[in-house]
Amino acid sequence: MLDDMVDHLRDVRSRPVWQPLQTQTRATLRAPLPAETISPDAIYDRFRDTILPYATGNTHPRFMGWVHGGGTPLGMLAEMLAGGLNANLGGRDHAPIEVERQVIRWAAEAFGLPETAGGLLVTGSSMANFIAVLMARTAVLGDDSRTKGLNAARLTAYASAGVHRCVPDALDMAGLGSDALRRIPVGPDYRMDVAVLAETISADRAAGATPFLIVGTAGSVDVGAFDDLAALADLCARENLWFHVDGAFGALTALSPALRHNVAGMDRAHSIAFDFHKWAQVPYDAGCILVRDQADQIRTFTAATAYLTPGTRGLSANAPWPADLGPDLSRGFRALKVWFAIQAFGADRFGEVAERSCAVAQHLAARIAAEPALELLAPVPLNIVCFRYRAPAGEVDALNREIAADIQEAGLAAPSTTIINGALAIRAAFVNHRTRTDDADALVEAVLAAGKTRHDKKETRR
Ligand SMILES: *Cc1c(COP(=O)(O)O)cnc(C)c1O
């Protein structure tokens, strides 16, 4: 199995990026509960036939959809070691917990947070943003809010119109309702309008609400834009609000001398959400919440129970436990693959991967600008390019949606789509460390060919 997977990663370029799961194959994955045992060899054969060829495709250098990391062979091996140890990182006194603490300290150092900082590895930035919302709630309403709930307080939070959907989801899950999030319009640079933000906060206060949280976006999913984090930090200080940064992928630009100007002010955040499974290429899943003062995290999540009381010696020593820092009790050894990656690649390499992704995006933007049949739909401040194949207004959205799917189904490349100012865009986000400029060229050729084929077909029908 190990040899096969190493070969599989080595030969990734020779395969289609993605292929649709055939009905027959899908059916075999919906078999009833097995009553008889199946030999590991036979199960592995099924894996090779029905799963291996039909995965997401994000290990492939021409996967450009959404925001997906590419993984590494070393990450795969670290996962194997973690599986063998089968450590439970909810708590107790053992080395794996020290590894997670080490990783958190490294991340806090990378982003310029002080010694008081803490954090936790989580599934992804969705969970990290949720934890941040709960910490901000406890900070504004006090510890009582954990037992008494909101007690008629009307909390309001603020984020850019380009905020990731997991932020309103986090407010929903926290019991505040997603309408508690005020979506502040962005300017032509796709950054939140700070003047409108300040006015909205004042209006909410005047109407009896309790503003408590500003979420700054560092790397928006649609175009890769950064809010003016320093201005948001100033406003939070003035208004006494929790300042959280959703830096799912963009936070790691802090590790690049060429890109770190984007996150100026992020080191003043109360909390930062980001992912190791995107630009840091750690295998899924590996997200992280960092908090400026670990005391804010402990007061939000710690709970006294006789069964889980940490002691002073033996296995029950070593508090606070990760279970006191987030919603999960039993937790796997996610930290090991992150610990391997940080040491094997070093902080500078993560910055270089981000720079390379941005260079590929600029290359693609230049190619599109030079192709009369294509047009850019948004600026390209980072690693994301939104564009389309030109066509008459009534047809252009549907055509581009079809082109994206055509290319995916042909296995040539895997862009995704989004809506930019009401127009459907083909969206290429460069995150995978394997992606080169010729992969962006391949996308251009594929879009032109698919667009022409669809156009010609239409002409024939007329
Ligand atoms: C990916 C992403 C998220 C969600 O993170 P997950 O790791 O998928 O949970 C949130 N915000 C932004 C800006 C993202 O790019």
Side-chain angles (χ1 to χ4, degrees):
M1 290 179 194
L2 190 54
D3 284 345
D4 284 356
M5 282 314 283
V6 170
D7 291 351
H8 181 83
L9 290 173
R10 182 196 59 202
D11 300 335
V12 62
R13 270 188 181 278
S14 65
R15 291 189 301 270
V17 180
W18 175 81
Q19 36 185 342
L21 200 49
Q22 290 124 23
T23 312
Q24 183 53 41
T25 312
R26 201 186 294 273
T28 66
L29 292 171
R30 292 178 177 179
L33 177 69
E36 320 252 291
T37 63
I38 303 165
S39 78
D41 281 343
I43 302 169
Y44 182 54
D45 285 344
R46 283 187 188 176
F47 169 81
R48 268 197 309 218
D49 294 343
T50 62
I51 300 173
L52 188 61
Y54 304 106
T56 329
N58 55 304
T59 56
H60 198 289
R62 291 184 185 171
F63 189 96
M64 302 158 185
W66 302 275
V67 181
H68 275 51
T72 66
L74 189 67
M76 173 177 83
L77 295 173
E79 288 272 59
M80 184 189 75
L81 300 181
L85 277 178
N86 192 29
N88 181 344
L89 276 80
R92 295 152 289 272
D93 193 9
H94 53 105
I97 285 189
E98 295 302 329
V99 171
E100 180 156 347
R101 288 179 182 152
Q102 170 76 90
V103 162
I104 294 294
R105 278 193 303 272
W106 281 339
E109 186 184 334
F111 297 152
L113 295 182
E115 288 282 310
T116 54
L120 194 68
L121 293 184
V122 292
T123 43
S125 287
S126 303
M127 178 57 82
N129 285 324
F130 176 52
I131 289 174
V133 166
L134 293 175
M135 292 192 296
R137 175 218 57 192
T138 312
V140 66
L141 294 182
D143 297 353
D144 270 4
S145 61
R146 294 186 57 196
T147 44
K148 309 266 181 274
L150 298 179
N151 210 1
R154 268 206 301 127
L155 299 187
T156 49
Y158 306 83
S160 146
V163 70
H164 192 281
R165 59 158 269 197
C166 70
V167 173
D169 286 355
L171 290 160
D172 166 10
M173 291 191 294
L176 309 182
S178 55
D179 284 355
L181 184 71
R182 308 284 194 250
R183 293 163 196 253
I184 307 301
V186 295
D189 52 3
Y190 290 82
R191 317 176 92 192
M192 176 157 43
D193 185 326
V194 180
V196 175
L197 170 62
E199 285 161 19
T200 311
I201 291 170
S202 300
D204 280 336
R205 276 202 206 286
T210 305
F212 79 118
L213 164 70
I214 294 179
V215 178
T217 295
S220 66
V221 276
D222 280 337
V223 303
F226 291 79
D227 287 332
D228 183 344
L229 301 180
L232 299 186
D234 288 343
L235 189 56
C236 284
R238 214 160 53 232
E239 295 279 347
N240 199 20
L241 307 178
W242 185 279
F243 177 32
H244 173 68
V245 174
D246 177 8
F249 59 99
L252 281 180
T253 58
L255 298 175
S256 154
L259 297 173
R260 67 168 58 113
H261 63 93
N262 286 301
V263 288
M266 185 171 73
D267 57 346
R268 294 166 64 195
H270 291 92
S271 54
I272 302 170
F274 74 102
D275 284 319
F276 284 105
H277 55 218
K278 290 177 177 170
W279 254 334
Q281 316 293 331
V282 171
Y284 285 91
D285 48 27
C288 185
I289 178 70
L290 292 177
V291 56
R292 168 169 226 89
D293 186 347
Q294 197 191 33
D296 282 315
Q297 194 175 14
I298 292 172
R299 72 189 281 220
T300 302
F301 291 102
T302 194
T305 62
Y307 166 70
L308 290 167
T309 306
T312 51
R313 48 183 289 248
L315 256 168
S316 60
N318 200 22
W321 289 351
D324 294 319
L325 304 175
D328 293 319
L329 179 52
S330 291
R331 308 170 61 250
F333 197 4
R334 255 183 215 117
L336 189 64
K337 59 195 175 186
V338 179
W339 186 77
F340 263 84
I342 292 175
Q343 294 175 94
F345 306 123
D348 292 350
R349 282 281 284 289
F350 292 138
E352 286 166 22
V353 169
E355 287 169 20
R356 196 136 39 92
S357 298
C358 294
V360 174
Q362 287 306 327
H363 174 84
L364 176 59
R367 284 289 321 264
I368 290 163
E371 283 297 341
L374 304 179
E375 65 179 323
L376 278 172
L377 290 181
V380 183
L382 201 69
N383 61 328
I384 300 173
V385 183
C386 291
F387 68 106
R388 69 179 172 187
Y389 190 88
R390 289 182 199 267
E395 312 165 6
V396 67
D397 284 0
L399 174 69
N400 280 279
R401 189 177 288 115
E402 296 300 331
I403 289 174
D406 287 346
I407 295 170
Q408 291 169 0
E409 287 174 4
L412 295 172
S416 55
T417 58
T418 191
I419 306 288
I420 299 287
N421 298 325
L424 187 119
I426 299 175
R427 175 181 165 287
F430 298 100
V431 184
N432 189 324
H433 59 105
R434 301 181 178 100
T435 304
R436 310 181 302 226
T437 51
D438 57 338
D439 294 311
D441 292 333
L443 175 66
V444 171
E445 302 313 327
V447 170
L448 290 174
K452 186 168 184 317
T453 305
R454 288 205 164 260
H455 179 264
D456 290 352
K457 232 191 250 165
K458 195 159 197 154
E459 289 298 300
T460 322
R461 275 204 304 272
R462 274 180 194 146

